[in-house]
Amino acid sequence: MEALIRKDESAPSGVPQRWGDINWRRVERNVRVMQIRIAKATQEGDWRRVKALQRSLTRSWSAKASAVRRVTENQGARTVGVDREQWNSPEVRWEAIGRLKRRGYRPMPLRRVFIPKANGKERPLGIPTMLDRAMQALYLLALEPVSEGTSDPNSYGFRINRSTADAMSQLFVSLSQKASAQWVLEADIKGCFDHISHGWLDRNVPMDKVILQKWLKAGVVFQGQFQATEAGTPQGGIISPTLANVALNGLERQLVEFLRTKLGVNNTKKLKVNVVRYADDFVITGNTPDVLEHEVKPWVEQFLAVRGLTLSTEKTRIVHIANGFDFLGWNFRKYSGTLLIKPSRKNVQTFYRKVKGVISANKAAKQSDLIELLNPMLRGWAQYHSPVVAKATFTRVEHAVFKALWRWAKRRHQGKNADWVRKKYFASVGERNWVFGTKARDKNGNSYWTELYPLAGTPIRRHKKIRGDYNPFDPAQERYGETLRQERMQASMTHRKQWIKLYVSQRGLCAVCQCKITKETGWEDHHIESRMLGGSDALGNRVLLHPNCHIQVHHHGQTVVKPVFN
């Protein structure tokens, strides 16, 4: 085996001449290094340095290349703005890097579209042009380290490595104990993205003010008519969620400071006021309804008013935990003193209508094609609810889907009896009967078995909440970030298979000390080139280490290389 630890070596110099020549690992490393410096300056409160570093980052070639890559490789890359322009070739993307300039930049109006909401209303979206998307992605690279460093601990929407499951887990912590708060202010901001004050954003968002004002005042085009934008940051822009987060940062910290100043530290603790926010939806707990109604709610309304926002009277209410409330698609309620979190009735009904709509719209489709359409929906919905008490809900929805598929199958063969239909579309697999599945063929003509995703078979796994003070741009927390990713990947069978490959390739030995990795010793998944500096999740960039060896590698700043066996 060759030497396993070496000093970090810089990549060879060389300027790419086309899109295909770009060394993306070096690009991401360059961007990350600058973002880490911005985050450090933010922590130190050196805002003059933050501004200088942001300016340097937004003018760097690596950041511009990264921004173009992001907007041309995400799901919305094919969605066009008012100029109908797409960046769908390497030549156009390479040229686009040079177009990202502050001087002379003038954003075009957004293309207004509407998408349906669960309550029957429509949500307005603003679609920027590709150039404007790339400029937003560029300036977001400089804004995100500042936003992360100034965010509330229990803000979980549109932040790196944070999710709805983290918000749910925090609420469980705040409400599950016998002595926990019994009352909840369930709040929703009315048209948050559409009403944020431009003046407040201009005064408080730590980014280039000229560029920000140009975006805010760009206007929208709907049915050929131009409409000016006097307030709000339209949903659809890459940077809009972060701008909304910046506007709402302080809701948690400032509320607690207000209560401590007015009522004292000890009295504030007794009130058990906790804030959990995901984007513009948030929940505030309290020990009594009076404190929520007369202290917390008026303060929140004043906090929002400064930002041009108001609470929705329809969706804002104070409830007892025994009656329960809905948040992020889940219902939180105590039954005889025990907190149970289940998929909300509204979420279940909306999902079933969506599945039923797909089945109804594909009456003549092949069975394999219908399964291919339904499986991503079923799997995604089940995985979303897998951290909560959802087993009974999964079984109930699976039965409802089965009945819809049975009607679909019988309609196709109205002259056949039920037994014939059952044998054609349903099978027995192991101990499972009535499995909706069939044989299909891949692109190469090979036959394979495909079946509907079994909702009831989805395992329930408790979600481990992210630490409130975690900052993805803090090098001191890099190891925690690695461990967090590792634990969250454990539920994925794909990554389990990857770990087996790593274990076999290393012959079951730690890549540092060359001693055996066993269940007793434990192991950790280490990135050779850290994710903080743009390292990938590819197997070639990962090794298995003993936990203690992993600590030593990070403590001494060592670089581990892949072990090579003769």
Side-chain angles (χ1 to χ4, degrees):
M1 188 184 298
E2 69 175 28
L4 297 176
I5 300 178
R6 57 173 170 78
K7 293 182 179 179
D8 190 21
E9 297 175 1
S10 60
S13 60
V15 179
Q17 300 298 320
R18 56 182 181 176
W19 183 262
D21 294 337
I22 298 175
N23 184 334
W24 290 110
R25 181 171 295 184
R26 183 187 300 171
V27 165
E28 294 302 322
R29 185 196 301 121
N30 293 342
V31 172
R32 277 293 183 183
V33 167
M34 189 65 74
Q35 287 180 317
I36 291 170
R37 293 174 65 190
I38 294 173
K40 183 179 179 182
T42 301
Q43 291 175 341
E44 296 171 350
D46 190 349
W47 297 108
R48 187 172 182 178
R49 181 165 176 75
V50 167
K51 185 176 181 180
L53 290 170
Q54 285 182 319
R55 187 187 305 115
S56 178
L57 177 60
T58 55
R59 294 179 180 181
S60 72
W61 186 90
S62 290
K64 293 177 180 179
S66 180
V68 172
R69 188 188 190 193
R70 173 173 179 174
V71 301
T72 55
E73 294 185 1
N74 62 16
Q75 293 182 348
R78 296 181 181 179
T79 305
V80 297
V82 292
D83 61 354
R84 300 291 171 180
E85 183 179 355
Q86 283 186 319
W87 293 351
N88 51 12
S89 71
E91 292 77 18
V92 173
R93 295 175 185 178
W94 176 257
E95 181 186 353
I97 297 174
R99 294 173 60 187
L100 302 186
K101 297 178 180 179
R102 182 181 186 276
R103 180 176 295 180
Y105 170 66
R106 184 177 180 181
M108 298 186 72
L110 306 169
R111 182 168 68 90
R112 174 72 83 197
V113 297
F114 291 89
I115 59 174
K117 296 171 64 175
N119 59 6
K121 298 181 181 179
E122 291 185 322
R123 184 189 306 278
L125 291 182
I127 310 299
T129 65
M130 291 299 296
L131 177 61
D132 294 335
R133 271 178 253 177
M135 286 292 285
Q136 289 190 19
L138 174 63
Y139 280 85
L140 179 59
L141 291 173
L143 176 61
E144 217 164 25
V146 183
S147 174
E148 283 291 335
T150 56
S151 291
D152 290 325
N154 292 310
S155 163
Y156 298 100
F158 305 110
R159 293 181 61 191
I160 299 171
N161 290 338
R162 295 181 182 236
S163 65
T164 54
D166 290 309
M168 175 272 296
S169 298
Q170 179 59 33
L171 269 179
F172 182 84
V173 171
S174 301
L175 296 169
S176 60
Q177 300 300 317
K178 186 177 181 180
S180 296
Q182 298 296 305
W183 293 88
V184 173
L185 171 64
E186 182 187 1
D188 181 82
I189 301 172
K190 185 177 181 180
C192 177
F193 285 88
D194 296 326
H195 296 102
I196 299 177
S197 166
H198 285 182
W200 191 93
L201 290 174
D202 186 55
R203 291 189 301 272
N204 295 277
V205 176
M207 67 167 288
D208 190 310
K209 308 298 183 184
V210 175
I211 294 294
L212 177 61
Q213 275 298 311
K214 287 182 178 181
W215 286 335
L216 296 177
K217 301 299 183 183
V220 298
V221 172
F222 179 61
Q223 295 181 343
Q225 299 294 319
F226 176 81
Q227 301 172 2
T229 48
E230 300 301 329
T233 170
Q235 296 185 65
I238 289 176
I239 204 170
S240 293
T242 303
L243 292 178
N245 267 341
V246 172
L248 296 176
N249 283 340
L251 179 65
E252 179 180 357
R253 286 194 175 101
Q254 293 178 30
L255 173 59
V256 173
E257 290 175 5
F258 162 75
L259 293 174
R260 286 177 177 175
T261 302
K262 184 174 182 179
L263 306 174
V265 175
N266 291 332
N267 288 333
T268 300
K269 287 182 179 179
K270 293 177 183 178
L271 295 176
K272 300 172 184 176
V273 174
N274 298 287
V275 181
V276 177
R277 180 171 67 86
Y278 188 91
D280 57 338
D281 294 331
F282 60 93
V283 167
I284 303 178
T285 67
N287 209 30
T288 66
D290 288 339
V291 70
L292 293 177
E293 182 68 44
H294 302 299
E295 298 290 350
V296 173
K297 188 177 177 182
W299 183 90
V300 170
E301 290 174 336
Q302 184 179 359
F303 175 88
L304 296 176
V306 175
R307 293 152 176 80
L309 303 171
T310 57
L311 289 176
S312 169
T313 55
E314 300 174 0
K315 300 179 181 179
T316 301
R317 61 191 185 123
I318 296 174
V319 298
H320 193 274
I321 190 60
N323 297 324
F325 64 95
D326 290 348
F327 185 59
L328 302 177
W330 292 300
N331 179 261
F332 297 74
R333 184 179 176 184
K334 273 192 174 180
Y335 299 82
S336 301
T338 301
L339 179 67
L340 295 182
I341 306 173
K342 303 178 181 180
S344 69
R345 180 177 299 179
K346 180 180 178 182
N347 181 275
V348 172
Q349 291 174 346
T350 301
F351 174 71
Y352 176 66
R353 283 197 296 267
K354 184 179 178 181
V355 171
K356 192 175 179 181
V358 171
I359 295 172
S360 299
N362 290 273
K363 293 184 175 70
K366 290 183 181 180
Q367 184 181 5
S368 58
D369 292 341
L370 181 60
I371 291 173
E372 190 175 334
L373 288 172
L374 293 176
N375 274 356
M377 298 168 57
L378 296 170
R379 185 181 295 108
W381 183 76
Q383 289 179 351
Y384 182 84
H385 292 295
S386 63
V388 303
V389 184
K391 206 70 175 179
T393 302
F394 289 162
T395 301
R396 188 171 66 252
V397 173
E398 185 174 75
H399 184 64
V401 173
F402 161 77
K403 290 196 294 186
L405 291 171
W406 177 249
R407 291 191 294 269
W408 174 88
K410 287 191 68 176
R411 181 187 178 279
R412 293 161 69 93
H413 306 281
Q414 298 180 15
K416 301 293 184 179
N417 60 37
D419 190 56
W420 186 94
V421 174
R422 179 185 65 80
K423 290 180 180 179
K424 180 172 178 60
Y425 292 103
F426 298 87
S428 295
V429 179
E431 297 180 355
R432 295 184 297 139
N433 298 316
W434 291 89
V435 175
F436 188 73
T438 185
K439 286 185 177 180
R441 293 188 179 277
D442 60 20
K443 296 179 180 180
N444 298 322
N446 300 317
S447 178
Y448 66 96
W449 172 259
T450 181
E451 65 181 58
L452 196 70
Y453 177 82
L455 284 176
T458 304
I460 303 299
R461 295 189 179 93
R462 177 65 62 86
H463 179 81
K464 183 176 180 180
K465 189 186 83 71
I466 194 170
R467 229 168 50 194
D469 63 350
Y470 173 65
N471 187 336
F473 300 101
D474 184 357
Q477 301 189 49
E478 182 184 343
R479 185 168 180 268
Y480 170 77
E482 280 190 354
T483 304
L484 181 72
R485 283 189 296 272
Q486 173 186 321
E487 291 174 348
R488 293 189 173 182
M489 288 192 300
Q490 277 184 325
S492 169
M493 185 58 67
T494 302
H495 287 88
R496 288 182 185 176
K497 291 177 181 178
Q498 290 182 0
W499 291 339
I500 292 173
K501 289 181 180 179
L502 286 173
Y503 186 87
V504 172
S505 70
Q506 294 178 206
R507 296 185 181 177
L509 304 178
C510 170
V512 170
C513 68
Q514 303 181 44
C515 295
K516 289 183 179 180
I517 294 175
T518 66
K519 290 183 179 179
E520 289 72 26
T521 64
W523 53 266
E524 293 186 3
D525 191 346
H526 172 73
H527 288 74
I528 296 172
E529 183 167 22
S530 73
R531 295 279 291 163
M532 187 75 67
L533 297 178
S536 72
D537 275 326
L539 290 179
N541 190 47
R542 289 156 56 193
V543 291
L544 301 181
L545 308 178
H546 288 137
N548 286 335
C549 294
H550 199 188
I551 292 173
Q552 292 300 314
V553 166
H554 282 281
H555 181 71
H556 295 295
Q558 298 168 327
T559 300
V560 182
V561 299
K562 295 287 284 187
V564 178
F565 295 91
N566 298 323

